[in-house]
Amino acid sequence: MEPKKLVEVMNILLVGATCGVSMAHVVPMLRPFLKYGKTLDKGDALPTYVGVYVPKRWFLHFYQLHVALSCMSFFLVWVVGEKGWNDLHVLTLFNLLQSSRRLYECNNVSKFSAHAKMHLTHYLVGLFFYSAINIYPLCWALEGDGHRVPFTRIILASLVFAVAYNDQMMNHWLLSRQKKYFLPKERLFTVVVCPHYLDEIVIYLSFLIVRPGLAYLVVSAWVITNLSISANQSWMFYLKQGDIKQNHYRVIPFIY
């Protein structure tokens, strides 16, 4: 398949995944597909003919794949790609930095319960997403479709990425120190339930700043939709156990 056509296919698949997650959130009988980890109660488990679950610790596979593909795309763009600075250099660097940290955190910081599960569809969509965000710059590199980016935009995107990157690292560290399934009482956790999800959203918005266009617009829409729904599930869980109050926001301070 031609690189340009592959980009179009990935855009369509991500739009489909975004619509699918949104539909599952709206239709009550489909909501169990979205629940995982602490939000997946025994009563939510789907019948065995559709309820195929895998360990939540398989999140590690997402970042192993992410690191492998980001290293490959980084090498091809920086070492054997076209000379001269363009947006593909920035995108592959961002991917490499994010994937490396998340893999380290999954191995050394995050605490996965031995009993925590996620639905197989969640796992497969995750593998697709982390493949797609690395295949995009690879396809553009193969097409010679790197764009020169104004220095001011590079600085803006790098600052946005760095702030969210550092904040997510701190938030994951705080979560790892907490008693199981209780929220920290520090930083943005005092305002929103999932500031680490907010960081993830901002990180991918920095990609959109580097290369405005349909691909990263679709990526951003997927990340915002998926993490907003996950944050809502976490909000309901913490509200039920009395760890937060009704006026606690889910993911975006003073908005949602």
Side-chain angles (χ1 to χ4, degrees):
M1 185 181 295
E2 295 180 359
K4 185 176 181 180
K5 186 63 68 176
L6 181 56
V7 168
E8 293 174 357
V9 170
M10 290 192 301
N11 287 342
I12 293 170
L13 290 175
L14 273 176
V15 169
T18 304
C19 293
V21 167
S22 300
M23 182 181 296
H25 177 64
V26 171
V27 180
M29 66 180 295
L30 297 179
R31 287 176 190 164
F33 281 98
L34 303 176
K35 294 188 175 185
Y36 64 95
K38 64 181 180 292
T39 64
L40 179 64
D41 296 326
K42 289 183 180 179
D44 292 324
L46 292 158
T48 52
Y49 57 89
V50 291
V52 181
Y53 292 92
V54 298
K56 185 189 172 187
R57 64 177 178 274
W58 283 14
F59 265 63
L60 178 66
H61 299 169
F62 297 161
Y63 302 111
Q64 289 172 335
L65 177 65
H66 196 4
V67 165
L69 292 176
S70 63
C71 284
M72 180 174 67
S73 61
F74 182 87
F75 175 79
L76 290 175
V77 168
W78 285 78
V79 179
V80 300
E82 295 181 8
K83 303 302 178 185
W85 185 267
N86 60 44
D87 55 354
L88 303 184
H89 293 86
V90 183
L91 296 172
T92 53
L93 177 60
F94 282 5
N95 267 332
L96 183 60
L97 290 172
Q98 177 68 359
S99 64
S100 300
R101 179 178 58 78
R102 290 298 290 122
L103 180 59
Y104 172 82
E105 288 173 343
C106 279
N107 276 314
N108 300 285
V109 178
S110 300
K111 298 175 181 177
F112 294 111
S113 168
H115 305 291
K117 304 288 185 181
M118 61 178 163
H119 196 270
L120 180 63
T121 55
H122 188 142
Y123 178 68
L124 294 176
V125 171
L127 291 176
F128 166 70
F129 173 75
Y130 287 106
S131 298
I133 58 175
N134 288 286
I135 292 173
Y136 277 124
L138 274 176
C139 287
W140 293 323
L142 291 172
E143 289 280 324
D145 191 24
H147 300 159
R148 290 202 171 271
V149 184
F151 184 69
T152 52
R153 196 196 301 170
I154 293 292
I155 294 297
L156 174 61
S158 298
L159 285 174
V160 170
F161 177 86
V163 169
Y165 180 96
N166 182 70
D167 193 65
Q168 189 177 62
M169 180 171 60
M170 293 298 298
N171 288 331
H172 284 157
W173 180 73
L174 285 174
L175 283 169
S176 72
R177 294 173 57 213
Q178 288 300 116
K179 185 179 178 181
K180 187 177 180 180
Y181 300 149
F182 282 86
L183 278 180
K185 306 301 181 186
E186 305 166 69
R187 299 172 64 85
L188 269 180
F189 284 104
T190 61
V191 181
V192 298
V193 168
C194 297
H196 50 307
Y197 288 174
L198 173 61
D199 295 323
E200 189 89 356
I201 290 169
V202 173
I203 283 170
Y204 285 104
L205 288 176
S206 73
F207 285 61
L208 184 60
I209 294 172
V210 174
R211 189 178 175 110
L214 180 60
Y216 284 115
L217 191 61
V218 168
V219 167
S220 297
W222 159 254
V223 173
I224 291 169
T225 301
N226 183 48
L227 294 185
S228 294
I229 291 172
S230 294
N232 182 61
Q233 294 172 354
S234 293
W235 182 87
M236 290 189 293
F237 173 86
Y238 288 120
L239 185 66
K240 185 177 179 179
Q241 73 171 18
D243 200 29
I244 61 169
K245 295 185 178 180
Q246 190 78 30
N247 62 354
H248 215 97
Y249 293 92
R250 291 158 175 80
V251 64
I252 304 174
F254 314 113
I255 297 176
Y256 178 72

